[in-house]
Amino acid sequence: MSTTHYLVLSAILFCIGLYGVISRRNAVMVLLSIEIMLCSAGLNFACFSTIYNPSGQIFALFIIVVGAAEVACGLAIFFLSARLSETIDLDKFNLLKG
Amino acid sequence: MEIAFYILAGMAITSAILVVSLKNLVRAILALASLFLSIAGLYILLSAEFLGLVQILVYIGGVILLFLFLIMLTENLFEKSQVNLFQRITGIGLVLLLFGIFISILMKQPFQAIPKTDYSIQEIGKHLLTDYLVPFEVVSLLLLVALIGAIVIAKKEEE
């Protein structure tokens, strides 16, 4: 196995996550797709840490922690907005539209 | 060793495609759980065992639980409006363009084999407490802030 295999896999996962963020209308699905992108970034870091030094693994650890914190806050915001309005369609949240 | 990589990579890509294409939210979350599991397996293949186990503990044991609790506590969480076909094809086209840019940059890298590294937990702990002490403390503060913020945001208002 070479680093190129892992990097290509990470690029594929990133692009799939990006497509999920673009095309999903439900806020929770968008959060799921962001998690896919975070996973691919962590895989990239861990792949390069085998060649250089363990800083890559430590950074992937921080990515995991920040991802978990972001999911908690995002779900709290989503929970509140779903309680206050009747719909969860992302297209309908357009109060700031010019 | 190669067959393990291909099995895990196939599982990861299949799970990711399922996450972005399933209509049912619970099934999408379970597909995300299988994606996390396959990424943990890939971390173990890269001899980052501590990272793989932390991934299983924190992501599968924490984040997936959070999502499932959210589904338990709210109703009507399914998608109503769909993207039309033109938007979907444009989205896929843009994503393929970005993937092409990534591949054209990746292929210029030298083809290095993955060496068998041996970063023990001792070494990672030593790095965390000497070189990366400030990010470590900041991350713990971030977790505290996220905890308090999530509670304050989602709290039911007192009458």
Side-chain angles (χ1 to χ4, degrees), chain A residues 23-80:
Chain A
S23 77
R24 288 303 218 168
R25 286 289 166 259
N26 192 348
V28 181
M29 302 280 200
V30 170
L31 274 174
L32 293 180
S33 312
I34 292 177
E35 286 300 314
I36 301 178
M37 288 160 64
L38 285 178
C39 267
S40 86
L43 188 64
N44 221 339
F45 272 111
C47 160
F48 277 122
S49 92
T50 59
I51 309 177
Y52 296 112
N53 58 8
S55 310
Q57 294 185 18
I58 293 173
F59 206 88
L61 210 61
F62 288 146
I63 288 179
I64 290 178
V65 171
V66 168
E70 158 227 339
V71 160
C73 288
L75 284 181
I77 292 176
F78 173 72
F79 184 61
L80 183 66

Side-chain angles (χ1 to χ4, degrees), chain B residues 29-98:
Chain B
I29 291 172
L30 291 179
L32 188 71
S34 86
L35 170 77
F36 288 153
L37 202 58
S38 53
I39 297 281
L42 283 167
Y43 281 152
I44 293 178
L45 262 188
L46 285 169
S47 31
E49 294 100 3
F50 177 64
L51 193 59
L53 291 176
V54 164
Q55 161 106 4
I56 292 180
L57 270 176
V58 170
Y59 265 143
I60 301 184
V63 169
I64 299 287
L65 266 176
L66 275 177
F67 277 115
L68 290 176
F69 268 112
L70 180 81
I71 294 190
M72 185 176 81
L73 294 172
T74 61
E75 311 93 27
N76 70 346
L77 280 178
F78 300 108
E79 298 197 15
K80 301 282 167 43
S81 72
Q82 302 298 325
V83 289
N84 58 13
L85 189 60
F86 173 68
Q87 286 174 346
R88 198 180 292 268
I89 290 184
T90 310
I92 292 180
L94 284 174
V95 159
L96 282 178
L97 179 67
L98 182 66

